[in-house]
Amino acid sequence: MSEWRKREKVYWSWGRAAAAAGDYSSRDLTAFRVERSRHTLGSEELFVKPTPELLLAMDSATGRYVDFGGSAGEMCAVLQRKFEAWSFAVVETTAMASASQVLRPSISFLDEMPDEFDVFYSSGTLQYLGKPEEMWREALSRTTRFAYLARNAFSKRKRITVQTSRLFDNGAGPVPEGFEDMPISYPHQTLSEAAVIKIADKAGFDLVTRVGDRNGGVTGTNGKVYGADLLFKRRR
């Protein structure tokens, strides 16, 4: 994928980047991700693994867990087998949520966040939103206990690009038959780690765990962009 990431262009605004990119929720991409995920049913643990920090947030017998941008629910499926008394919901695009509900009916698939939940989890998603800080504030306002941001793309100065990868680089599991590999493009922007922490503090959350150098959300070759996972806990 590195040869494709090098083709990223830098834009002055999110609007220009979005106009230059393809539709992230396009029909072809959604169909591919769902079909690829179908091949992982019952064996999701082979492809996705919850981090120790995430498991720390699951510190009660029951709770409500939301995965914002959770694709076809692979991570929720893994956690559901470990925490059977919890409820699990994935927030995705309307197309992705509709297609995934049939795949994993024990998980709720929504195109909007529920009014309230105990644990908010988002992995490599905020950097693909036009207003990530606004979404972060909204998520925290609905979170009662823990919020965990994984696979982040941070930088001190905002960097807006059009990220290009191959279709087959999306999702996890065996590549299904019947699809042709092709370039997929979507807008991407870095976030300020300091701003993310400040927003959480104002919302009543403390940063309890930071794991640096987790670069799963970093794209391109710019050395000023870095990754870190952040776990926040609401103050009592």
Side-chain angles (χ1 to χ4, degrees):
M1 182 167 11
S2 61
E3 65 178 293
W4 287 93
R5 287 178 172 176
K6 291 177 182 177
R7 300 184 186 186
E8 293 172 348
K9 296 181 180 179
V10 178
Y11 292 81
W12 290 105
S13 71
W14 179 261
R16 291 185 178 182
D23 183 3
Y24 182 62
S25 60
S26 69
R27 183 175 58 184
D28 289 342
L29 178 56
T30 297
F32 174 77
R33 292 171 69 196
V34 171
E35 188 59 30
R36 189 172 197 178
S37 185
R38 189 186 307 278
H39 287 70
T40 71
L41 286 173
S43 58
E44 291 90 348
E45 290 87 350
L46 299 177
F47 305 99
V48 296
K49 297 184 184 300
T51 64
E53 301 78 44
L54 177 57
L55 295 178
L56 285 176
M58 316 286 284
D59 66 347
S60 65
T62 63
R64 299 157 296 178
Y65 177 97
V66 164
D67 188 338
F68 183 80
S71 190
E74 297 89 348
M75 181 64 78
C76 282
V78 172
L79 292 171
Q80 193 174 51
R81 285 193 278 271
K82 293 177 177 291
F83 304 96
E84 297 180 357
W86 280 61
S87 66
F88 293 87
V90 172
V91 180
E92 262 290 355
T93 64
T94 301
M96 190 70 187
S98 177
S100 300
Q101 186 65 74
V102 178
L103 198 64
R104 295 185 173 89
S106 63
I107 298 168
S108 297
F109 287 87
L110 313 168
D111 57 8
E112 293 184 356
M113 281 190 290
D115 291 336
E116 188 176 86
F117 35 85
D118 299 293
V119 175
F120 174 82
Y121 174 76
S122 188
S123 176
T125 299
L126 293 188
Q127 52 261 39
Y128 295 101
L129 303 179
K131 299 179 179 179
E133 293 87 0
E134 183 177 308
M135 182 58 70
W136 177 227
R137 289 188 185 92
E138 182 179 354
L140 291 171
S141 73
R142 304 178 185 213
T143 303
T144 65
R145 288 162 54 197
F146 287 93
Y148 184 40
L149 294 181
R151 296 177 60 242
N152 300 293
F154 291 131
S155 66
K156 292 185 178 180
R157 184 176 181 179
K158 186 176 289 292
R159 186 171 185 268
I160 302 173
T161 63
V162 170
Q163 179 185 330
T164 302
S165 64
R166 302 295 295 183
L167 176 64
F168 289 1
D169 288 330
N170 288 270
V175 174
E177 296 181 357
F179 291 88
E180 181 180 351
D181 201 9
M182 65 181 72
I184 298 292
S185 298
Y186 26 80
H188 176 283
Q189 65 179 312
T190 57
L191 286 79
S192 163
E193 182 180 6
V196 167
I197 295 173
K198 184 176 181 180
I199 290 170
D201 180 60
K202 287 186 175 181
F205 286 79
D206 292 324
L207 176 64
V208 293
T209 303
R210 179 188 187 277
V211 182
D213 297 324
R214 278 196 179 154
N215 298 322
V218 175
T219 67
T221 57
N222 191 314
K224 295 181 180 179
V225 181
Y226 66 96
D229 286 8
L230 308 176
L231 175 64
F232 298 88
K233 183 178 183 180
R234 181 175 285 280
R235 292 190 287 270
R236 297 297 182 183

